[in-house]
Amino acid sequence: MLKVAIVGASGYTGAELLRILVGHPEVEICCVTSRQHEGLPIHQVFPSLSGFCDLLCEPLDVAAIAARADVVFTALPHKSAMEVVPGFLDAGCKVIDLSADYRLKDQDVYQQWYQPHTSPELFAEAVYGLPELYAEQIRSARLIANPGCYPTSVILALAPLLEEQLIDPKTLIVDSKSGVSGAGRGVKLGSLFCESNEGFKAYGIASHRHTPEIEQELASLAATDIRLSFTPHLLPVNRGILSTCYADLLETKSSDELLDLYRQRYADEQFVRVMPGEQLPNIAYIRGTNFCDIGLVSDPHTGRVIVISAIDNLVKGAAGQAVQNMNIMCGFKDAIGLGIVPMFP
Amino acid sequence: MLKVAIVGASGYTGAELLRILVGHPEVEICCVTSRQHEGLPIHQVFPSLSGFCDLLCEPLDVAAIAARADVVFTALPHKSAMEVVPGFLDAGCKVIDLSADYRLKDQDVYQQWYQPHTSPELFAEAVYGLPELYAEQIRSARLIANPGCYPTSVILALAPLLEEQLIDPKTLIVDSKSGVSGAGRGVKLGSLFCESNEGFKAYGIASHRHTPEIEQELASLAATDIRLSFTPHLLPVNRGILSTCYADLLETKSSDELLDLYRQRYADEQFVRVMPGEQLPNIAYIRGTNFCDIGLVSDPHTGRVIVISAIDNLVKGAAGQAVQNMNIMCGFKDAIGLGIVPMFP
Amino acid sequence: MLKVAIVGASGYTGAELLRILVGHPEVEICCVTSRQHEGLPIHQVFPSLSGFCDLLCEPLDVAAIAARADVVFTALPHKSAMEVVPGFLDAGCKVIDLSADYRLKDQDVYQQWYQPHTSPELFAEAVYGLPELYAEQIRSARLIANPGCYPTSVILALAPLLEEQLIDPKTLIVDSKSGVSGAGRGVKLGSLFCESNEGFKAYGIASHRHTPEIEQELASLAATDIRLSFTPHLLPVNRGILSTCYADLLETKSSDELLDLYRQRYADEQFVRVMPGEQLPNIAYIRGTNFCDIGLVSDPHTGRVIVISAIDNLVKGAAGQAVQNMNIMCGFKDAIGLGIVPMFP
Amino acid sequence: MLKVAIVGASGYTGAELLRILVGHPEVEICCVTSRQHEGLPIHQVFPSLSGFCDLLCEPLDVAAIAARADVVFTALPHKSAMEVVPGFLDAGCKVIDLSADYRLKDQDVYQQWYQPHTSPELFAEAVYGLPELYAEQIRSARLIANPGCYPTSVILALAPLLEEQLIDPKTLIVDSKSGVSGAGRGVKLGSLFCESNEGFKAYGIASHRHTPEIEQELASLAATDIRLSFTPHLLPVNRGILSTCYADLLETKSSDELLDLYRQRYADEQFVRVMPGEQLPNIAYIRGTNFCDIGLVSDPHTGRVIVISAIDNLVKGAAGQAVQNMNIMCGFKDAIGLGIVPMFP
């Protein structure tokens, strides 16, 4: 059994890692940490887990954890993650970091959007953990930078078009909508029920920190510089991201032709479901699962293609993708522990 | 007292007309019609109205209603509206039609998107009832084509930029999100609670019937042909439309410069609120009211402007705008009966 | 114009007082206080109020406020209220206190459920501000203890039965459900969107602080001691309380007979709507208004009556009732400023 | 592999049977029926199931289905179920009926609450499929009457107290709240999003059809006649039932003593989780799972006990319990295929 530790277990991402890993047949969770709930059984922090996990929340002691764990999931805020990741690596653990700390390849860009970085020497080694793009590198990685939730939804939506150079990269516009769990479990005014319920708004227009991450990966796919309009919105649901992506087509292609391209591109990817015909993704169809559903329309009226993707921000956008990465790193089957059937309604 | 009739009172738009008009100091509601609930007091159809309106639902008898009413609000589906509107006009009533039947100026376009039209001779006379653009014509109109909900949100968002020719009309993309009441009170699978709640999806991509209406009005403002990408989405809230509009700027303008332009353009429009500084609209701030809140960001990174507008689809997007039109047609003050303070949360 | 101050304006109750009072024809709001937002215009704290109120948030300076205000609404937590209420009274203001500090008549009971009280000498003077029971005393009061939200819903539901001694007081069970705004705007884990949305739970069983307040008032109506089972639940909606009340009937009465009794009892009370026939209250029918809707069923199978009441916890359960009290104290018509028509949906 | 058919697969209960059974290691789904969607792949009816089930919806042909299936789940409305259940039994299938048609033991009671019954001769044979009470009989049953959702939540909440004769059966009051999926997937006004969202109401007071079913089972446990006050309410969530049960204690017992009793009673029942100490159930903690969470408070102030149970109406209240019954009937382990970890949030 693989021994895994979850560092930062009392947030929603931590809870989701636990939900998935308690049922994983090859894994034993050996440690959960939470500063805030130290000493409390994790099933009192999350009563939903009652009967599934009796571990007590521990303080974050790198050496003590590294002595017991083979793989460490760091579900900490950016900056907090970089304070412990190098220690876990030095102690011989594999690390899957769910923060933003190792996702950007360019230190200047990181420091412009976040703050000074204390271990930029790891940038070259860290593998961007999007298995549909980087499975080979993930297989042999020590450090995975688990992708952001918005970037996952956008990159999977646009990769086939950019790889085939079918769209004009200068015209890319992404309008994304995320459920409230994307803001985490921290107590702040904007996350209150009454501030979000029956509301809807954009935020962080032209300034959201996921923008450089998306641009980096799309630029790599397009082999050209990318400047993106990215507008995130706050959706009054618990979970789910839907991204609506617009681009000018460089040559005329029908919806069916483009859907065929997507089906080919993702034929071997069991977590990408290309919707049939005119069906469009809905976050209700992938809730709780590691799927990314994709649909699209080619519009001859404007010459644009509109691609829509839906993921669960806590699963394919965080914990599920992290477990998918772990499976690949450890030689398990990709989907093991992730065969959750979507619950509808 | 002005005598008004509400034809088609048992839908959400009808209920909203009642909510607003029972408190209007210059109006007496003389008739409500509903085929489905004929003979039932309207406060049993909508118990919320208990104590405010005791009228019984009548059948739709044009002559009988015209004999009593000065102004008729037709809150019927398209096609049903055109069957009765000419009759009301012939009988001397003023008509405010909330359907799509008299909004398009080009009969071919109407028939391409809807079905054959039986009174196209009224197209020239019908005034598109967006007071922020057409107050003068509304003042003397007999027939108002009350704008669609999406078009209201989009036209108000983009008018100042198009009037000043600050954006490239070929780059217009509108990503809209509407609450479920936009689908009406008809019983259909897609409107069920469990089909929408905790869900989010796009629908009618590149094929929504509000597209030609938006294009007609934007083209008139821009004095050029417009082809728009318009993507509506279904938002799991009762009310509210938020439209996120993207366009390439033709010259560099800062957010503050553009906000100033909006403030000037709408200085005399009491139902348009331009948000201060970096604040962005939220459908939670205008719920139940006739306001259109607008905010924007000019993004030097991409050279685009992103404009966001929020309205209540049942008020500024339907019943409230209809009453605003009535006020103008009848020489009342614009805002009379519409001074509703937004309820938050 | 009556000059009023709102002390503690940045909570949901404060916002609701503002929503109601900005449209009140006899009132001028002269001051709003908020420690947290001192110096900020209140319409930036609540953008919904943009265009309706430009006041800046002030610190809580009793003397400075009392010099300007005729009536002071204290929308503070219990304990904070008692620190300022005596000062406002001494300075000649009328005070409507929305906290629990002056609702209980028995100092021991207060101190058992809350903490030591520093001005118990005001208990005798404070009038429990439920106009349907105490209009006469309210008229001449200096200090109103504005009732709790749950107590308002329960007392109005049960008063007619207890006054007529139709039910056995020992069998009273009240099962109440409240929207999340009842927990206030303070940032705490339990009020987060993701902790409440799609959830439902009871809390404070047999230990909620509104229990002694309800028992005090029901005992007064029944002229006998009352011990109540009171179970509040947290409902995933913004607003609304629905209380389901159970009691054994002392004599056989049909639903119609009991409804007649309720109609008589509340014939002169314009904010109580007794539902016709078999219709039952729904919080959706009174949202945003000062109404208390009541329905009931007499069940011959068990010999019990089930009474259901619905109020908006922020209006009839707080700010609306406070304004109703102000109207009575100041000789205005009861309903002035409170004629809000319910918005549905 | 056990061959199972799902008759009536296009409702929410059918979808839930599919969600659970596609992952069941001992089962092969051989047939799904839907009159409405005949010929359509079930994953187009429920896109959530895309990739999990490719079966086409068949018409309901008893002989054709019986020739292929070992076990038939009938997820039909009452009355429709009794039209096909005898045929499946005659053809040698085991039947798990999710309707109300075989739950009541007394034909008169059935006919009083529903309509004439055409196969009352099966009443004696049908086993009420609540495994926590009737596991032994389920093991050898041909026909399971799968319990109603409300009854499941109430019987599990009260069984230990009634078995031990700790409460006065004459004082039983049950206040239940159910998510909207309990009303099924049929299109009707009351199930529309805008009619339920942000609303809350009671319905069917003293007249809900689950009342006789609950009374039958509680009477059997108590060995005395039971007359219950049962009040269902409609909760604006997709899934979940929370039942708050009140009864007078016949002898003084503390919360801890009663919780111990519950823990003993349900020690071997893996789907009943007795909450620790003062923790109370929340439908958010059991969503999507077959758990029934139970908590309670003994209140010395009134001498009553308040017991609260939470289930997912579509799982333990329908499809999950049906699969649990199948597992027992077929000699599988109780929990096989039902080991779903609750998703929070």
Side-chain angles (χ1 to χ4, degrees):
Chain A
M1 296 288 271
L2 186 79
K3 302 270 198 297
V4 308
I6 300 171
V7 170
S10 64
Y12 292 136
T13 304
E16 200 64 358
L17 283 165
L18 280 160
R19 177 175 76 97
I20 295 169
L21 290 172
V22 294
H24 195 293
E26 305 286 350
V27 159
E28 182 192 328
I29 305 170
C30 66
C31 164
V32 295
T33 82
S34 166
R35 198 180 43 190
Q36 194 186 348
H37 300 287
E38 191 181 329
L40 212 64
I42 192 70
H43 66 75
Q44 283 190 25
V45 180
F46 295 111
S48 57
L49 294 174
S50 177
F52 292 97
C53 187
D54 290 330
L55 291 172
L56 304 187
C57 294
E58 300 181 22
L60 204 180
D61 177 333
V62 172
I65 295 168
R68 284 179 284 157
D70 304 311
V71 172
V72 176
F73 293 91
T74 45
L76 300 168
H78 64 88
K79 191 155 183 277
S80 300
M82 70 169 88
E83 291 166 8
V84 299
V85 164
F88 284 119
L89 290 173
D90 289 347
C93 297
K94 294 184 179 183
V95 176
I96 299 169
D97 177 36
L98 289 91
S99 86
D101 279 350
Y102 299 95
R103 293 180 194 154
L104 297 175
K105 296 298 175 196
D106 181 325
Q107 185 178 357
D108 288 345
V109 175
Y110 180 89
Q111 298 192 157
Q112 172 193 339
W113 287 86
Y114 294 90
Q115 74 286 305
H117 203 293
T118 54
S119 50
E121 68 281 4
L122 291 170
F123 284 16
E125 178 184 357
V127 175
Y128 191 73
L130 193 62
E132 289 77 9
L133 297 186
Y134 299 110
E136 214 44 61
Q137 297 91 318
I138 293 165
R139 213 173 304 280
S140 54
R142 272 201 322 161
L143 170 57
I144 296 290
N146 209 59
C149 48
Y150 286 123
T152 296
S153 77
V154 177
I155 299 164
L156 292 176
L158 293 173
L161 294 173
L162 289 169
E163 287 168 348
E164 300 296 319
Q165 299 182 304
L166 290 171
I167 53 175
D168 178 355
K170 290 189 301 298
T171 64
L172 274 173
I173 287 175
V174 174
D175 193 281
S176 291
K177 303 88 180 174
S178 171
V180 183
S181 64
R185 209 185 186 206
V187 290
K188 45 194 171 190
L189 184 63
S191 298
L192 293 190
F193 183 87
C194 292
E195 303 289 318
S196 298
N197 183 45
E198 292 294 287
F200 187 71
K201 65 168 184 182
Y203 66 98
I205 301 184
S207 61
H208 192 281
R209 281 168 165 171
H210 282 175
T211 310
E213 181 182 338
I214 299 171
E215 290 182 343
Q216 166 183 291
E217 294 301 316
L218 296 188
S220 161
L221 289 163
T224 180
D225 204 41
I226 297 271
R227 294 190 169 213
L228 181 79
S229 285
F230 171 60
T231 310
H233 298 74
L234 187 63
L235 201 54
V237 301
N238 284 341
R239 294 161 172 254
I241 285 179
L242 192 119
S243 289
T244 310
C245 309
Y246 301 85
D248 288 4
L249 282 166
L250 291 173
E251 48 184 296
T252 305
K253 293 275 181 190
S254 70
S255 298
D256 282 343
E257 288 173 303
L258 294 175
L259 283 166
D260 277 345
L261 168 68
Y262 274 70
R263 270 186 220 103
Q264 281 171 24
R265 172 59 180 85
Y266 291 127
D268 297 331
E269 302 298 342
Q270 55 194 310
F271 293 118
V272 178
R273 299 192 301 190
V274 180
M275 309 291 286
E278 301 185 350
Q279 232 171 358
L280 292 173
N282 186 328
I283 57 168
Y285 299 152
I286 48 79
R287 189 166 42 230
T289 75
N290 202 45
F291 289 114
C292 175
D293 279 3
I294 300 180
L296 61 78
V297 172
S298 173
D299 179 15
H301 179 66
T302 58
R304 289 194 189 101
V305 60
I306 299 100
V307 188
I308 296 192
S309 66
I311 63 168
D312 184 320
N313 56 300
L314 293 177
V315 191
K316 185 64 178 170
Q321 186 140 273
V323 172
Q324 190 182 357
N325 281 316
M326 179 198 76
N327 286 342
I328 298 173
M329 293 166 91
C330 298
F332 306 144
K333 288 195 183 151
D334 251 50
I336 200 164
L338 290 168
I340 303 157
V341 188
M343 182 175 84
F344 178 84
Chain B
M1 296 287 269
L2 187 78
K3 303 270 198 296
V4 309
I6 299 171
V7 170
S10 63
Y12 292 136
T13 306
E16 200 65 358
L17 283 165
L18 280 160
R19 177 174 77 97
I20 295 168
L21 290 171
V22 295
H24 194 294
E26 305 286 352
V27 159
E28 182 192 328
I29 304 170
C30 66
C31 164
V32 295
T33 82
S34 166
R35 198 179 43 188
Q36 193 187 350
H37 300 287
E38 192 183 326
L40 211 66
I42 192 70
H43 65 75
Q44 283 191 25
V45 180
F46 294 111
S48 56
L49 294 173
S50 177
F52 292 97
C53 186
D54 290 329
L55 290 173
L56 304 187
C57 294
E58 299 182 22
L60 203 180
D61 178 332
V62 171
I65 295 167
R68 286 178 284 157
D70 303 313
V71 172
V72 177
F73 292 91
T74 45
L76 300 168
H78 65 88
K79 189 154 183 276
S80 300
M82 71 168 88
E83 290 166 9
V84 299
V85 164
F88 283 119
L89 290 173
D90 289 348
C93 298
K94 293 184 179 181
V95 175
I96 299 169
D97 177 35
L98 289 92
S99 86
D101 279 352
Y102 300 95
R103 293 179 194 154
L104 297 176
K105 295 300 176 195
D106 182 325
Q107 185 179 355
D108 289 344
V109 174
Y110 180 89
Q111 299 192 157
Q112 174 193 338
W113 288 85
Y114 295 90
Q115 74 287 304
H117 203 293
T118 55
S119 51
E121 68 281 3
L122 291 170
F123 282 18
E125 180 184 357
V127 174
Y128 191 73
L130 193 63
E132 289 77 8
L133 297 186
Y134 299 111
E136 214 43 62
Q137 297 92 315
I138 293 165
R139 212 172 305 281
S140 54
R142 271 200 323 161
L143 170 58
I144 296 289
N146 209 61
C149 48
Y150 285 122
T152 296
S153 77
V154 177
I155 300 164
L156 292 175
L158 293 173
L161 294 173
L162 289 169
E163 287 169 348
E164 299 297 321
Q165 301 182 301
L166 289 171
I167 52 175
D168 178 355
K170 289 188 302 297
T171 64
L172 273 172
I173 288 175
V174 174
D175 193 282
S176 291
K177 302 88 180 173
S178 171
V180 184
S181 64
R185 210 188 186 204
V187 288
K188 45 193 171 191
L189 184 64
S191 298
L192 294 189
F193 183 86
C194 292
E195 303 289 317
S196 299
N197 183 47
E198 292 294 287
F200 186 71
K201 64 168 184 181
Y203 67 98
I205 301 184
S207 61
H208 192 280
R209 280 169 164 170
H210 283 176
T211 310
E213 181 182 340
I214 299 171
E215 289 182 342
Q216 165 184 292
E217 294 301 316
L218 297 189
S220 161
L221 289 163
T224 181
D225 204 42
I226 297 272
R227 295 189 169 213
L228 182 77
S229 285
F230 171 59
T231 309
H233 299 73
L234 187 63
L235 202 52
V237 303
N238 284 342
R239 294 160 172 255
I241 285 179
L242 191 119
S243 290
T244 311
C245 309
Y246 300 84
D248 288 5
L249 282 166
L250 292 172
E251 50 184 296
T252 304
K253 292 276 181 190
S254 70
S255 298
D256 282 344
E257 287 173 304
L258 294 175
L259 284 167
D260 278 346
L261 169 68
Y262 274 70
R263 269 184 221 103
Q264 281 172 25
R265 172 60 181 85
Y266 291 127
D268 297 331
E269 304 298 342
Q270 54 195 311
F271 293 118
V272 178
R273 301 192 299 191
V274 180
M275 309 292 285
E278 301 185 350
Q279 230 170 0
L280 292 174
N282 186 327
I283 57 168
Y285 299 153
I286 48 78
R287 190 166 41 229
T289 76
N290 203 45
F291 289 114
C292 176
D293 279 4
I294 300 179
L296 61 79
V297 172
S298 173
D299 178 15
H301 179 65
T302 59
R304 291 197 187 99
V305 60
I306 298 101
V307 188
I308 295 191
S309 66
I311 63 168
D312 184 320
N313 56 301
L314 293 177
V315 191
K316 186 63 178 170
Q321 186 139 274
V323 172
Q324 190 182 357
N325 282 316
M326 180 198 75
N327 286 343
I328 297 172
M329 292 166 89
C330 298
F332 306 144
K333 287 193 182 152
D334 252 51
I336 199 164
L338 291 167
I340 304 157
V341 188
M343 181 175 85
F344 178 85
Chain C
M1 295 288 271
L2 187 78
K3 302 272 199 296
V4 309
I6 299 171
V7 170
S10 64
Y12 291 136
T13 304
E16 199 64 359
L17 283 164
L18 280 160
R19 178 175 75 99
I20 296 169
L21 290 171
V22 293
H24 194 294
E26 306 285 351
V27 159
E28 182 192 327
I29 305 170
C30 66
C31 164
V32 295
T33 83
S34 164
R35 198 180 41 189
Q36 193 186 349
H37 300 287
E38 192 182 328
L40 212 64
I42 191 70
H43 66 75
Q44 282 190 26
V45 181
F46 295 111
S48 57
L49 294 172
S50 178
F52 292 97
C53 187
D54 289 331
L55 291 172
L56 304 187
C57 295
E58 300 181 21
L60 203 180
D61 178 332
V62 172
I65 295 167
R68 286 178 285 156
D70 304 311
V71 171
V72 176
F73 292 91
T74 45
L76 299 169
H78 65 88
K79 191 153 183 277
S80 300
M82 70 168 87
E83 290 166 8
V84 298
V85 164
F88 284 120
L89 290 173
D90 289 348
C93 298
K94 294 183 180 183
V95 176
I96 299 170
D97 176 37
L98 288 91
S99 86
D101 279 351
Y102 300 95
R103 294 179 193 154
L104 296 175
K105 295 299 174 194
D106 182 326
Q107 185 179 356
D108 290 345
V109 174
Y110 180 89
Q111 299 192 157
Q112 172 193 339
W113 287 84
Y114 295 90
Q115 74 287 305
H117 203 292
T118 55
S119 51
E121 67 282 3
L122 290 170
F123 283 18
E125 180 185 355
V127 174
Y128 190 75
L130 192 63
E132 289 77 8
L133 297 187
Y134 299 111
E136 214 44 61
Q137 297 92 316
I138 293 165
R139 213 172 305 279
S140 54
R142 273 200 321 162
L143 170 57
I144 296 290
N146 209 59
C149 49
Y150 285 123
T152 296
S153 78
V154 177
I155 299 164
L156 292 175
L158 292 173
L161 294 173
L162 289 169
E163 287 169 348
E164 299 298 320
Q165 300 182 304
L166 289 172
I167 51 174
D168 179 355
K170 290 188 302 296
T171 64
L172 274 173
I173 288 174
V174 174
D175 193 280
S176 291
K177 301 87 180 174
S178 171
V180 182
S181 63
R185 209 186 186 205
V187 289
K188 46 193 170 189
L189 184 64
S191 297
L192 294 190
F193 183 86
C194 292
E195 304 288 317
S196 299
N197 182 46
E198 291 293 288
F200 186 71
K201 63 167 184 182
Y203 65 98
I205 302 185
S207 60
H208 192 280
R209 280 168 164 171
H210 282 176
T211 310
E213 181 182 339
I214 299 171
E215 289 182 343
Q216 166 184 292
E217 293 302 316
L218 296 188
S220 161
L221 288 163
T224 181
D225 204 41
I226 297 271
R227 295 190 168 212
L228 182 77
S229 285
F230 172 60
T231 310
H233 299 73
L234 187 63
L235 202 53
V237 302
N238 284 342
R239 293 160 172 255
I241 286 179
L242 191 119
S243 290
T244 309
C245 309
Y246 301 85
D248 289 3
L249 281 166
L250 292 172
E251 48 184 296
T252 305
K253 292 276 181 192
S254 70
S255 297
D256 282 344
E257 288 173 304
L258 294 175
L259 283 166
D260 277 345
L261 168 69
Y262 274 70
R263 269 185 221 105
Q264 282 171 25
R265 173 59 181 84
Y266 291 127
D268 297 331
E269 303 298 342
Q270 55 194 311
F271 293 118
V272 178
R273 301 193 299 191
V274 180
M275 309 291 285
E278 300 185 351
Q279 231 170 357
L280 292 174
N282 186 327
I283 57 169
Y285 298 153
I286 48 77
R287 189 167 43 231
T289 75
N290 203 44
F291 289 115
C292 176
D293 279 4
I294 300 180
L296 61 79
V297 172
S298 173
D299 178 14
H301 179 66
T302 58
R304 290 195 188 100
V305 60
I306 298 99
V307 188
I308 297 191
S309 66
I311 63 168
D312 184 319
N313 56 300
L314 293 177
V315 191
K316 185 64 177 169
Q321 186 141 273
V323 172
Q324 190 182 357
N325 281 316
M326 180 199 76
N327 285 343
I328 298 172
M329 291 167 90
C330 298
F332 306 144
K333 286 193 183 153
D334 251 51
I336 200 164
L338 291 168
I340 304 156
V341 188
M343 181 176 85
F344 178 85
Chain D
M1 295 288 270
L2 187 78
K3 302 270 198 297
V4 309
I6 299 172
V7 169
S10 64
Y12 292 136
T13 305
E16 200 64 0
L17 283 165
L18 280 160
R19 177 175 76 97
I20 296 169
L21 290 171
V22 294
H24 194 294
E26 306 285 351
V27 160
E28 182 192 328
I29 305 171
C30 65
C31 165
V32 295
T33 83
S34 165
R35 199 178 43 188
Q36 194 187 348
H37 300 287
E38 192 183 326
L40 212 65
I42 192 70
H43 65 76
Q44 282 191 25
V45 181
F46 294 110
S48 57
L49 294 174
S50 178
F52 292 99
C53 186
D54 289 329
L55 291 173
L56 304 186
C57 295
E58 301 181 22
L60 203 180
D61 178 331
V62 172
I65 296 167
R68 286 179 285 157
D70 304 313
V71 172
V72 176
F73 292 91
T74 46
L76 299 169
H78 65 88
K79 191 154 182 277
S80 300
M82 70 169 87
E83 291 166 8
V84 299
V85 164
F88 283 120
L89 290 174
D90 289 348
C93 298
K94 294 184 179 183
V95 176
I96 299 170
D97 177 36
L98 289 92
S99 86
D101 279 350
Y102 299 95
R103 293 179 193 154
L104 297 175
K105 296 299 177 195
D106 182 324
Q107 185 179 355
D108 288 345
V109 174
Y110 180 89
Q111 299 191 155
Q112 174 193 338
W113 287 84
Y114 294 90
Q115 73 287 304
H117 203 292
T118 54
S119 50
E121 67 280 4
L122 291 170
F123 283 19
E125 180 183 356
V127 174
Y128 191 74
L130 193 63
E132 289 77 8
L133 296 187
Y134 298 110
E136 213 45 61
Q137 296 92 317
I138 292 165
R139 212 173 304 281
S140 54
R142 272 200 322 160
L143 170 58
I144 295 290
N146 208 59
C149 49
Y150 286 122
T152 296
S153 78
V154 177
I155 299 164
L156 292 175
L158 293 173
L161 294 173
L162 289 169
E163 287 169 349
E164 300 297 319
Q165 299 182 306
L166 288 171
I167 53 174
D168 178 355
K170 291 189 302 297
T171 64
L172 274 173
I173 288 174
V174 174
D175 193 281
S176 291
K177 303 88 180 173
S178 170
V180 183
S181 64
R185 210 185 185 206
V187 289
K188 44 194 171 191
L189 185 62
S191 298
L192 293 189
F193 184 86
C194 293
E195 303 288 318
S196 299
N197 183 44
E198 291 294 287
F200 187 70
K201 64 168 184 182
Y203 67 98
I205 301 184
S207 62
H208 192 281
R209 281 168 163 171
H210 283 176
T211 311
E213 181 182 338
I214 299 171
E215 289 182 343
Q216 165 183 293
E217 294 301 316
L218 296 189
S220 160
L221 289 164
T224 179
D225 205 40
I226 296 272
R227 295 189 168 213
L228 182 77
S229 286
F230 171 60
T231 309
H233 299 73
L234 188 63
L235 202 53
V237 302
N238 285 341
R239 295 162 172 252
I241 286 179
L242 192 120
S243 290
T244 311
C245 309
Y246 300 85
D248 288 5
L249 282 166
L250 291 173
E251 48 185 297
T252 305
K253 293 275 180 190
S254 71
S255 297
D256 282 344
E257 288 173 302
L258 293 175
L259 283 166
D260 278 345
L261 168 69
Y262 274 69
R263 269 185 222 105
Q264 282 171 24
R265 172 61 181 84
Y266 291 127
D268 297 331
E269 303 298 342
Q270 56 194 310
F271 292 117
V272 178
R273 299 193 299 190
V274 180
M275 310 290 287
E278 301 185 350
Q279 231 171 358
L280 291 174
N282 186 328
I283 57 169
Y285 299 152
I286 48 79
R287 191 166 42 232
T289 75
N290 202 45
F291 289 115
C292 176
D293 279 4
I294 301 180
L296 61 79
V297 172
S298 174
D299 178 14
H301 179 64
T302 59
R304 290 197 189 99
V305 60
I306 298 99
V307 188
I308 296 191
S309 66
I311 63 168
D312 183 320
N313 55 300
L314 293 178
V315 191
K316 185 65 177 170
Q321 186 140 274
V323 172
Q324 191 182 355
N325 282 315
M326 180 198 74
N327 285 343
I328 298 174
M329 291 166 91
C330 298
F332 306 144
K333 286 193 183 153
D334 251 50
I336 200 164
L338 291 168
I340 305 156
V341 187
M343 180 175 85
F344 178 85

